[in-house]
Every structure is written in C-alpha cells, then in structure tokens.
Amino acid sequence: MNPTDTRNPDYFHKVVDCQWACPAHTPVPEYIRLIAAGRYDDAYMVNWKSNVFPGILGRVCDRPCEPACRRGRVEEQPVAICRLKRVAADHKSDIKSRLPAPVAQKNGKRIACIGGGPASLTVARDLLPLGYDVAIYDGADRAGGMIRSQIPKFRLPEAVIDEEVDYILEMGATRRFNTWVSSLKDILAEGYDAVFVGTGAPRGREANLPGRKEAGAHIHIGIDWLSNVAFGHIEKIASRVIVLGGGNTAMDCCRTAKRLGGSDVKVVVRSGYDEMKASPWEREDAQHEGVEIINFMVPKEFRHDAGRLIGVVFEKVKAEYDANGRRNLVPTGEPDQLLECDAVLVAIGQENAFPWIERDLGIAFDKWDMPVLDQVTLQSTAPRVFFGGDAALGPKNIITAVAQAHDAAVSIDLFCQGRDVRQRPAPHTNLASQKMGIHEWSYSNPVTLDLRHKVPTLDVAKALKSPKSEFELGFDLKLAYAEAERCFNCDVQTVFSSKLCIECDGCVDICPVDCITFTDNGEETELRTRLKAPAENMGQALFVSETLQTGRVAVKDEDVCLHCGLCAERCPTGAWDMQKFLLEMSHAGQS
Amino acid sequence: MTYLLKPKLHHPSLAPNALGYTRRDYEGAISTMCAGCGHDSISAALIQTCYELDMEPHRVAKLSGIGCSSKSPDYFLGNSHGFNTVHGRMPSVLTGANLANRDLLYLGISGDGDSASIGLGQFAHAMRRGVQMVYVVENNGVYGLTKGQFSATADKGSKSKGGVVNEDSAIDLCALALQMGATFVARSFSGDKGQLVPLLKAAFTHGGTAFIDVLSPCVTFNNHAGSTKSYDFVREHNDALNRLDIFFGKDEIVADYAPGSVTDVRQHDGSILRLHKLHDSYTPTDRIHAMRYLEERKALGQIVTGLLYMDATPNTLHDNLNTVEGALGILGDKALCPGQGNLDKINASLR
Ligand SMILES: Cc1cc2nc3c(=O)[nH]c(=O)nc-3n(C[C@H](O)[C@H](O)[C@H](O)COP(=O)(O)OP(=O)(O)OC[C@H]3O[C@@H](n4cnc5c(N)ncnc54)[C@H](O)[C@@H]3O)c2cc1C
Ligand SMILES: Cc1ncc(C[n+]2csc(CCOP(=O)(O)OP(=O)(O)O)c2C)c(N)n1
Ligand code: SF4
Ligand code: SF4
Ligand code: SF4
Ligand SMILES: [Mg+2]
C-alpha cells in the first residue's frame, strides 16, 4: 500500500465515526468533552452551529451517529451521543447573547422559504446573519413543521420547540404564517432573489383495502391523526386500537393511542421484528409501555358491520429469500386471522406532493414526481429555486433536513452573490498536539468500563395518564459526566512520524486492542490478514507509514483504536503523538 | 513509564484459550520501564507464550534478582507466584523452591548484571545441576537500574553513553551455559517476537534446564552509536541460525519444505520442534559443534541467534537426587515421619 496521506481531511474525519456519520458532521467528541468539563453553554454552541436544534435533536434525533460509534464495536453499546446533546441544552444558561443579532445593514437580497420546518428554519438561520431578508411561509400558524405537528409532546415538549425556533425567528425572519402557498409562480412573481422549498413530505400513504370507505370513521391516516392530536383537535381514542405499519410514525401512533385511552394497542407489521423500520429504542419504549407488536401479518380487509368497525383481517406471511438474497413475503397458507379492534391508525409511509408547483416554471420533475436536483447544490433546474429536507429527497429525518438546508443555504448565498454554486467552501480543519507532559494530555484518556447509562424516565403508569408529560427525564449531571467519559475522543488522532520510529515494538506491546503491527508492506486485502489482529472491518481504514529502517512499515488498523494514547506514552521517540483533529463544516458566507 | 492503566477492553477477535483466558488475562501490573525498553517486549513475548500454551497462571512461579529486568516479572502474569531475591541470588532461591515443590513451572528472570556480574557463580551452578526451569536473561550490556554502568556482557571495545570504552572482555552466557551442561540453550532478540515466542514455548516444554539469552536494548543508557547492544547494532549483526515452529499432539504437521531445510526434534513431552534451517550445516543437537560455532561467529562480529542446542531427553535435578513425587508441602505426616521401625532399619544399614 502507499503511505497514507493524512493531509486529506477525509482521512481523520472518517476516524471520528460519529461525526462522519452525522449528516451535519457535528463535532461530537468536542461537545462531549465540553459537557464533561461542565461547559454546557459551549457544548450547546458547538451543536447549535452545526445542527441548529440541539434541544430538539437531543431528544428526537434519528441518531445515525450512534450505530456508527466506535464504542459499539468494542463493547455492547455506543455512547449515548444524542442524550448528551440534550444535557447541553437542558443545563446551559441563557445563551441568547451568543446568537447572531438581527442585522441592521441588509444586503438587499430577498429569499422566500416555503414551509416552516427545520429545513427552512436552517436556511433562515444561515442567511439572516449575512444580511439576507428571509420570509418564511407556512400554512400553520407557527413555524416548526413536523417537529411541531407530528412528534408527540411526550417525546418533545412544546417549550423546547418554541425556544429553538424563536432563536431563529428573532434573528429577523419575516413571518408569513397562516399562509398556504398554492402557487409557486405567484411567489416567484414577488421578485425573490431565490426561493427555498422546504415543504416536507406531507401526505400519509393510504391503505386501500376493502371496507376502508365504509368503516372510514374509525380509520385514520397516522400523520393526520398525530397532527390533530398535536394541535388539540383529538383528545381520545377507543380502547382497542390497531396500528398498521412498522416505522417510527407507527411507534408514535401506538404510544399516543396508549395515552389517549387505548388500553389494548397492537402494532401489526408485514415484516419481521428485526426488519422493522422503527429505531430499536422506539420499539423498546413502545413495548415497555404495553404495546404489542405482531409481525409477518399483511392487512387484507377492514371487517365492518354496516360501517361499525369489527377489526382487521390479516394474511399470515413468512420471509423467503431469492437467489439474489432479496426478501419476499410469501403466504404461509395458514388461515387468515381477524384481529378485533375499534379503531385503526394507518402508518405505512409518507409521500411528497407538489400540487402547488406549476409545471411550466422550468422545474423538471422525475418519474416519481420528485424535483430533479443537483445532489450537491440542491439547485433545481430553475436556477432560482432550491430544495431541501423531506421535500428534496423524500421523508428522512430532522438532521438530514438540517444538513441539506446548510448545503442549500451555501448554494443560495453563492447564487445571490453571482458566484459559481459548484465552487463549495472546504471544511475548516485544525490538528493540534494534546501533549501536556510525559503522561499528561489535554483530554481525558483513561478508558472507562462503564456500560451505557440509562436515561431516567417517568414511571410508565404515570406517563400513560399524562400525555403531555415528557417521558424521558434526561441525564442528571452525574450521569451525564459518567456517560461523557465513555467517549473515546476519536478526534484525538494517533499521528505517526515515520522518521522518528526506532522500531522498538513498545507501541505494539502496549496497545490494548492490537491496532499496531510492524510488518512487510503488501497489497491491502492481503495485508489486512497478517496484522496482529485481523482487520476485517473493511469500512475502517488502515494507516500505513513510510518505509522504516528495517524495510517494514507501521500499520495501524483504525477500527477499534481506543484513542487512549498509550502508544504515544510508550514511544521513546515521540513517533506517535496524539493530536486533536477538529473539522467544522463551512456554512453560508464562510470560505 | 506509563501511568495510565491499560484499559481492559480488547480486540473483539481476541479469542480465549483452552482455559478460557485471553492474552490480556496474562498481563500484569502496568510497566514502569522506560518507554521503548526491550524488557517490555520480552514481557509481551512471555504473555503471548503463556496464553498460547494454555498455562494455568497459578502453576507458574516467577523468580528474579535485582535490576530493571528483574523487576519486569511484576508486569506479566499478574496471577502467578513471584519472588524477588537478593541481587544475583535468583538461581539458588529458584533451585530451593523447585526442590520443595516440583509441581510448579519455574521461570527465572534475570539481567546481565544480575547473572553475569554479581550472580555469575550462582548462574553457573544452576546450569550444571539440571534445575528444571526456563531461565531468561534480559541482556542489555549495562546495569540499567543503576544508570548504565557496563555489565560483564558488555563487549570489549564498545562505548558507554558517556564515551568510555570498555576494556574488559565479555562473558557470553550462552557459551557458559553450554559448557556448564544446560540442556536447552538459545539466544534471541527482544525486537523479534517471531523468533522469541517459539523459543520460549520450546523452553517451557523442554523439561530440563532451558536458558535463553535475550538481547534487550536499554533505550536510556545503551542505545547509542558505539554500543553493541543497541537496536540498530543488534539488527545489523543478527545472524539467525534457524526459525522454530512447535507442534503439539493435536496440531497437524504439514511437511512442504525442501529436503534438508527442516529438522524435526521430538521433545520428551511428545511435542515436536520443527527447525527451519537458515544455516545449512548447523545441527542444534551437537553441543561441541554449537560451542565452536558460537566462537567462530563471534570472531566475525556476528550475533548468533536461534536455538543453539537442545538435548531432547534431559536429566533433571529431581531425577539425579531421586526425590519423592509431588510437592513436599503436601506430603502427609506418614511420609514425612516413617516411624521408629524405618529409622532403625536405616541406622542399621549404616552401621
Ligand atoms: C410521526 C412522525 C414522527 C417523526 N419523528 C421524528 C423523529 O423522532 N426524529 C426525526 O429526526 N424525524 C422525525 N420525523 C421526520 C421529521 O419530522 C421530518 O423529516 C422533518 O420534519 C422534515 O423537515 P422539513 O423541514 O423538510 O419538512 P417539515 O418538517 O415537514 O415541514 C414542512 C412544513 O411546510 C409546510 N408546508 C407544506 N406545504 C406547504 C405549502 N404549500 N404552503 C405553506 N406551507 C407548506 C407544512 O405545514 C410544514 O410545516 C417524524 C415524522 C413523522 C411523520
Ligand atoms: C547486592 C547488591 N549489589 C549492588 C546492587 C545495585 N544494583 C542494583 S541493580 C544492579 C545491576 C542490574 O543490572 P542488570 O541485572 O543487567 O539489570 P538491568 O537493570 O540492566 O536490566 C546493581 C548493580 C544491589 N541492588 N544489590
Ligand atoms: S467513542 Fe466518542 S468520538 Fe468515538 S465514535 Fe463514539 S461518540 Fe464519537
Ligand atoms: S513505540 Fe515509538 S519508536 Fe517504538 S515502535 Fe512504536 S512508534 Fe516506533
Ligand atoms: S534504564 Fe534501561 S533497562 Fe532500565 S527500564 Fe530504562 S531502558 Fe529499560
Ligand atoms: Mg542489564
């Protein structure tokens, strides 16, 4: 292999698994260290800069960082990255003075954001401080999008949404709420310099089965029902409820139903338990609250008696895999099963809908009726119109919406300044030694054996009686510190200087996880087999040094490095050093 | 020196051995050696050896004298027995322990100062008595612990860190061990675990007096130009005789070597040592040849490493003394005090 070029920022960035996996590339270990140091305001601001909604995301983020977390490869569970974010939000003081103030001197450019969800709000946050005039349109009377209309209050209290949405609105956004946009042409006609479409994926998929119409009074589309609950239009449900679908919306439906009077709540899913789309923690919470999950059942019919719902008839299926390893659900041949119930919530997916975008504006749509976008700039085929969030690539999650909105804001800024939208600013990086003394580092390098700490919750019985009370209570500061200490500080990189190494083997012997090997160079797949521990995780890089004095190379498998710094402490010549790699994404207006 | 405790977390692929222990379970306290000291590599090699040999930690006794090398037993096999003797006196304490309890595996750890300077007499006698043990000298040519004075293994003409030239001639502990009658003699280098670990395994299964002289650079006091025990010097002058594989009953022995390039030696316990020859003419079962070869190569300025000599059916001190089976400590009253009748018989036989 060629010697590794660690000057390419992607190399060290990839080592920070959580940050690499975070769509917005939040510097996770950086804020976790700040939490451990009790610097909650600073930890909050690191988050606010990259993901805009730390208090919200610290409760409800889909947390793609956690399955990626290195700790999960060395012991059972990753660091509770998401819940630590909440700690920063819960325990900060008033940080308003650290937020950008409304800009007095505007730059004369006007931007319209259609939809007031996290995507549009992020665009507004990125552009307002640069002097843009940003108008946010939403059919609802307040901003927040699905964060406000869908996510149940027991997972995300209203006050948290208000606080973080207001931070942005108070930066001087023009509020066009209670304004449903029915024509993009009209908006464009108002002479905006650019338009951002952040209208989400607002339509819930239907279950067109026999009996749907007749029993319709007892069958609800999940996301419509949830928003009715969120806005106080619905306050109870019948006692026996069936939820169709296995995603997170289904989990919110069943848990909400449990709180609104559903005593017997079943979630019925086509697939097996392990293939369910809902996050494992959502499934566990639902089951913990007494929801029954039934798998491998496909709904066939809403059984009713002259419009009075009796139940749902299901066909039993099993998973079979074809030659290409693709899963097919095939009937088992057992008789169909009727599950009796009084109400059904249909949570089998969401769709985009752009009835308000005229098709003669130069915006191309593909065969799925989705806008054709440049994947990097998020610009549509009409140069003035940009998309982001669920409206751009279909329903995903908040953090993806935020990340895309950052990208779109960069594009909008470049576009409005008459610059090439494809010339993107590079991320900011910094690499600095953490050595303070022979055995002293400016980060906490001991590795704790603590298993993942559980977030305290309300007592289930109490929680079910109090639909608006937040179920999770968040870490207290003691637990937060203990959990923060579980982080390995993967951003503190092992940086190697080939010319200093005397090949004494000291680092090889001390490394607790057998990362380092001195051996003859070779081709990667072969080299991976003859390291001190086999390097089987192909998703993780091998670091290869320059050729050393004995003709061998030093090879480090990044996979399970604990970043404990023992190699650097044990090295007599300082050939290994622990250096902190900080990568911050460039947002609009930064170069 | 490292102050941070080595985290208990280990690589997910690290498998337990037949006893259910991982390699990490054979570690000891955190080392206080200077960073880069060869002694730490030897500790690591011993850890790997004991793990791979499925050794029960409580059946190993580590004995040592005084010196950096002699304190290293604290840093491996943290669940084994240990004894730090007076400087240079490890061999006699080990011999006594071995006589009292022949059921333990004895590991003597010493330094070149401990064994070749102050303890030379003890060393020589332990070698000639057939004490069943693995005796490792961590040889750096200096007294590391007392700040780098030349030891008796420092080569004539080599230079100290302060620039002083050594005028005394060096003791070659391997040559001495051969002469004294050790039944397993090898030399290796701390920086070559591929060679050292199989040698240690062979030594542990040898069944007699196994001596290994391991060159182990002192990074702090003897790793400069002009030293003949530095990493660079040892690497440049290392003249390896053979590579060793060791096979136990259950292992499959695959023979795909050119004829004459390997020699198999069956040890007393049935294990097979396979020697990959790097020097055609060398046979490690010929003691006189070994002694001559060592001297010849030394004259050429080379450091001969590998298995120098072994006797596959060694005699031990216990064989020679016809001692009782088992540890003395667990002999019952009846065995220890055979009664007036027996005493009378013995007395009569001496009249
Ligand atoms: C039940 C449920 C639970 C969820 N839970 C989570 C979770 O726990 N974690 C997570 O990360 N994600 C979750 N999501 C997904 C998440 O809510 C979305 O991915 C995210 O809100 C998308 O943000 P957005 O800004 O793209 O659009 P949205 O949040 O959908 O906002 C779009 C806004 O545009 C408005 N709008 C649409 N069309 C128009 C128009 N023509 N004129 C004016 N206004 C318009 C809508 O009223 C809405 O307010 C959940 C989704 C659902 C349905
Ligand atoms: C009876 C006695 N004499 C002298 C000393 C001082 N002393 C301590 S260690 C040492 C030399 C150790 O050298 P070596 O065995 O080579 O160990 P190293 O530190 O080099 O590994 C000496 C002379 C002592 N501790 N006891
Ligand atoms: S251990 Fe810490 S830095 Fe490493 S991936 Fe997990 S959260 Fe990120
Ligand atoms: S400890 Fe330092 S000098 Fe020794 S092998 Fe490792 S990197 Fe090289
Ligand atoms: S003084 Fe020399 S022998 Fe002693 S620990 Fe340091 S490097 Fe090793
Ligand atoms: Mg010494």
Side-chain angles (χ1 to χ4, degrees):
Chain A
M1 290 177 74
N2 289 325
T4 304
D5 179 11
T6 54
R7 284 166 313 176
N8 176 350
D10 275 0
Y11 184 79
F12 285 145
H13 187 183
K14 256 189 96 178
V15 173
V16 196
D17 287 305
C18 48
Q19 184 173 11
W20 181 257
C22 173
H25 302 307
T26 305
V28 173
E30 180 75 0
Y31 81 69
I32 291 184
R33 275 189 300 274
L34 290 169
I35 289 171
R39 291 168 57 185
Y40 309 111
D41 291 6
D42 293 332
Y44 185 84
M45 292 312 295
V46 166
N47 273 290
W48 191 79
K49 252 171 94 178
S50 21
N51 56 51
V52 191
F53 302 105
I56 293 169
L57 290 166
R59 291 170 165 83
V60 301
C61 187
D62 255 1
R63 24 176 158 151
C65 52
E66 291 191 16
C69 168
R70 174 163 283 112
R71 180 126 195 155
R73 296 198 293 276
V74 193
E75 53 121 313
E76 292 155 36
Q77 296 254 38
V79 176
I81 301 170
C82 180
R83 293 321 189 241
L84 285 170
K85 196 191 305 294
R86 173 175 171 179
V87 168
D90 285 0
H91 297 278
K92 68 180 185 310
S93 61
D94 186 353
I95 48 86
K96 277 202 189 121
S97 62
R98 299 177 66 164
L99 301 175
V103 177
Q105 191 62 46
K106 297 280 181 182
N107 70 359
K109 303 280 181 187
R110 293 167 58 238
I111 313 296
C113 290
I114 317 297
S120 286
L121 288 165
T122 300
V123 169
R125 192 212 67 173
D126 285 359
L127 295 182
L128 284 167
L130 305 179
Y132 287 89
D133 216 323
V134 182
I136 302 177
Y137 290 80
D138 202 302
D141 65 349
R142 276 166 294 169
M146 287 197 165
I147 293 179
R148 199 185 288 281
S149 68
Q150 293 294 320
I151 300 179
K153 301 295 171 259
F154 60 83
R155 285 209 289 128
L156 178 60
E158 190 98 46
V160 179
I161 307 175
D162 289 342
E163 177 188 330
E164 291 186 336
V165 167
D166 286 349
Y167 286 160
I168 297 166
L169 297 179
E170 282 163 18
M171 284 159 63
T174 308
R175 305 167 200 219
R176 295 286 175 82
F177 301 151
N178 296 310
T179 311
W180 185 262
V181 175
S182 53
S183 161
L184 181 57
K185 195 179 262 169
D186 291 353
I187 295 281
L188 291 170
E190 288 188 36
Y192 286 106
D193 293 284
V195 174
F196 175 77
V197 180
T199 49
R203 193 181 284 169
R205 199 168 285 149
E206 246 314 343
N208 286 315
L209 302 174
R212 171 69 179 94
K213 238 195 217 119
E214 296 82 339
H218 312 283
I219 301 168
H220 314 283
I221 295 297
I223 65 169
D224 297 341
W225 183 77
L226 283 172
S227 66
N228 277 322
V229 173
F231 294 124
H233 307 318
I234 288 180
E235 285 175 335
K236 50 178 191 295
I237 195 163
S239 65
R240 297 175 306 164
V241 182
I242 286 181
V243 178
L244 300 178
N248 283 335
T249 303
M251 296 304 113
D252 280 342
C253 284
C254 68
R255 294 181 70 193
T256 303
K258 264 275 172 191
R259 284 165 169 78
L260 299 189
S263 50
D264 167 11
V265 180
K266 295 186 174 75
V267 174
V268 188
V269 196
R270 294 158 54 95
S271 71
Y273 187 80
D274 292 334
E275 299 91 63
M276 282 172 63
K277 287 214 183 83
S279 322
W281 52 89
E282 300 275 344
R283 273 180 261 171
E284 279 160 27
D285 283 345
Q287 286 171 304
H288 191 53
E289 290 174 1
V291 171
E292 187 184 354
I293 296 179
I294 304 173
N295 296 94
F296 290 123
M297 299 249 280
V298 179
K300 273 178 88 174
E301 177 197 340
F302 296 108
R303 177 85 39 96
H304 64 98
D305 177 9
R308 189 183 62 81
L309 182 68
I310 294 173
V312 185
V313 179
F314 292 93
E315 178 176 59
K316 297 194 173 179
V317 294
K318 61 182 179 204
E320 268 180 15
Y321 294 86
D322 65 15
N324 303 324
R326 268 202 24 214
R327 190 202 63 174
N328 292 313
L329 293 173
V330 296
T332 60
E334 290 167 82
D336 289 345
Q337 191 177 351
L338 168 74
L339 293 180
E340 293 185 9
C341 67
D342 311 313
V344 176
L345 298 173
V346 181
I348 55 176
Q350 257 170 278
E351 287 163 350
N352 289 84
F354 300 101
W356 55 279
I357 299 185
E358 293 83 351
R359 299 304 150 113
D360 59 356
L361 302 175
I363 302 176
F365 281 81
D366 63 17
K367 61 178 167 180
W368 297 283
D369 215 28
M370 290 293 285
V372 175
L373 304 174
D374 181 309
Q375 300 290 311
V376 176
T377 65
L378 296 160
Q379 192 174 33
S380 73
T381 51
R384 249 205 301 166
V385 182
F386 299 80
F387 284 70
D390 286 359
L393 300 166
K396 293 248 157 49
N397 50 38
I398 303 166
I399 189 65
T400 306
V402 169
Q404 288 178 354
H406 281 317
D407 287 340
V410 168
S411 305
I412 291 171
D413 179 46
L414 292 171
F415 177 74
C416 289
Q417 303 307 319
R419 289 164 56 193
D420 181 357
V421 293
R422 300 209 56 110
Q423 294 292 313
R424 321 287 295 176
H428 294 265
T429 60
N430 187 35
L431 192 62
S433 178
Q434 300 299 291
K435 200 174 175 86
M436 311 254 290
I438 301 181
H439 303 287
E440 249 182 298
W441 303 96
S442 55
Y443 71 108
S444 157
N445 64 328
V447 174
T448 170
L449 295 180
D450 282 14
L451 298 179
R452 185 180 169 115
H453 297 277
K454 277 210 165 62
V455 180
T457 62
L458 280 184
D459 169 67
V460 172
K462 238 188 236 157
L464 294 183
K465 278 196 208 107
S466 171
K468 291 211 168 113
S469 302
E470 187 169 15
F471 178 61
E472 282 193 11
L473 302 174
F475 284 135
D476 61 31
L477 293 182
K478 226 172 126 194
L479 279 174
Y481 177 77
E483 186 62 28
E485 284 296 293
R486 292 181 71 239
C487 173
F488 293 147
N489 304 283
C490 301
D491 59 340
V492 182
Q493 310 276 350
T494 54
V495 179
F496 187 75
S497 313
S498 305
K499 47 183 196 312
L500 292 180
C501 176
I502 58 167
E503 299 176 68
C504 68
D505 266 4
C507 52
V508 177
D509 296 334
I510 196 69
C511 176
V513 278
D514 302 334
C515 287
I516 305 170
T517 310
F518 287 80
T519 185
D520 295 328
N521 205 339
E523 182 266 317
E524 177 165 0
T525 36
E526 180 267 337
L527 186 56
R528 280 178 175 268
T529 61
R530 54 181 167 83
L531 301 180
K532 192 167 178 211
E536 280 157 0
N537 185 349
M538 297 303 287
Q540 291 283 323
L542 292 188
F543 165 85
V544 179
S545 74
E546 313 271 341
T547 305
L548 303 171
Q549 238 175 328
T550 60
R552 300 179 300 172
V553 284
V555 183
K556 181 198 169 206
D557 177 9
E558 299 286 2
D559 188 18
V560 293
C561 169
L562 305 179
H563 297 261
C564 59
L566 283 177
C567 53
E569 288 197 6
R570 194 49 76 91
C571 179
T573 65
W576 289 109
D577 189 25
M578 303 307 291
Q579 301 187 5
K580 186 173 92 176
F581 173 77
L582 183 63
L583 178 141
E584 290 178 295
M585 297 303 285
S586 289
H587 296 148
Q590 296 172 337
S591 51
Chain B
M1 268 211 226
T2 310
Y3 291 111
L4 178 62
L5 281 182
K6 190 165 168 174
K8 285 277 171 248
L9 297 176
H10 59 72
H11 195 279
S13 73
L14 180 60
N17 62 13
L19 299 175
Y21 299 129
T22 71
R23 172 160 37 75
R24 299 292 308 279
D25 294 322
Y26 289 86
E27 290 176 353
I30 202 73
S31 170
T32 59
M33 300 291 168
C34 305
C37 177
H39 299 352
D40 276 335
S41 290
I42 300 173
S43 298
L46 283 160
I47 287 166
Q48 193 179 334
T49 301
C50 295
Y51 158 68
E52 289 177 5
L53 287 179
D54 303 324
M55 270 164 43
E56 294 172 292
H58 67 274
R59 288 206 49 235
V60 181
K62 309 168 288 184
L63 291 98
S64 62
I66 298 293
C68 297
S69 36
S70 292
K71 70 179 186 162
S72 73
D74 197 19
Y75 313 137
F76 57 85
L77 297 186
N79 292 311
S80 299
H81 309 278
F83 197 120
N84 252 134
T85 73
V86 186
H87 201 13
R89 271 57 183 168
M90 175 271 282
S92 53
V93 178
L94 190 151
T95 305
N98 187 317
L99 275 173
N101 183 354
R102 60 191 293 181
D103 290 341
L104 297 181
L105 287 161
Y106 289 92
L107 173 60
I109 299 287
S110 182
D112 42 315
D114 197 56
S115 282
S117 300
I118 193 171
L120 189 65
Q122 297 247 329
F123 171 81
H125 288 290
M127 291 300 126
R128 53 182 278 275
R129 284 194 183 119
V131 182
Q132 188 178 343
M133 64 181 165
V134 177
Y135 192 126
V136 175
V137 165
E138 306 187 344
N139 184 354
N140 54 17
V142 288
Y143 302 162
L145 192 69
T146 55
K147 295 197 161 23
Q149 302 83 350
F150 284 124
S151 77
T153 66
D155 289 306
K156 189 168 184 166
S158 66
K159 244 189 222 153
S160 76
K161 198 175 182 181
V164 178
V165 175
N166 176 36
E167 300 297 354
D168 300 340
S169 68
I171 292 173
D172 181 341
L173 288 172
C174 284
L176 194 54
L178 283 167
Q179 196 191 352
M180 291 296 142
T183 46
F184 181 110
V185 179
R187 177 144 45 221
S188 191
F189 170 41
S190 66
D192 186 359
K193 288 198 195 70
Q195 181 191 53
L196 178 56
V197 171
L199 282 174
L200 283 168
K201 283 186 182 172
F204 272 111
T205 47
H206 166 63
T209 305
F211 172 69
I212 310 183
D213 176 31
V214 188
L215 291 155
S216 176
C218 169
V219 275
T220 304
F221 299 113
N222 205 9
N223 196 36
H224 46 270
S227 156
T228 58
K229 300 277 192 287
S230 66
Y231 280 106
D232 287 351
F233 187 94
V234 176
R235 282 205 178 98
E236 273 159 34
H237 298 82
N238 188 343
D239 181 24
L241 288 174
N242 42 45
R243 290 260 149 198
L244 197 68
D245 281 329
I246 178 161
F247 300 94
F248 298 94
K250 53 189 188 303
D251 300 335
E252 190 188 352
I253 302 179
V254 216
D256 57 350
Y257 305 101
S261 72
V262 299
T263 315
D264 284 352
V265 186
R266 184 176 292 274
Q267 299 203 98
H268 76 109
D269 68 345
S271 60
I272 298 218
L273 299 187
R274 166 157 298 167
L275 286 150
H276 304 254
K277 289 190 189 174
L278 302 173
H279 283 222
D280 278 351
S281 60
Y282 197 82
T283 14
T285 43
D286 182 342
R287 194 167 70 95
I288 293 165
H289 175 62
M291 289 163 75
R292 196 175 57 227
Y293 198 85
L294 264 186
E295 290 300 324
E296 281 171 11
R297 291 283 159 168
K298 193 160 63 184
L300 296 173
Q302 285 163 344
I303 304 169
V304 173
T305 61
L307 178 59
L308 302 173
Y309 170 71
M310 75 164 292
D311 174 352
T313 50
N315 245 19
T316 69
L317 180 63
H318 285 281
D319 299 335
N320 300 343
L321 295 179
N322 192 23
T323 52
V324 64
E325 287 297 319
L328 301 187
I330 55 166
L331 288 180
D333 283 351
K334 234 174 146 186
L336 286 171
C337 188
Q340 190 61 44
N342 281 312
L343 180 61
D344 292 346
K345 259 192 231 159
I346 292 169
N347 283 339
S349 76
L350 297 171
R351 283 209 173 91

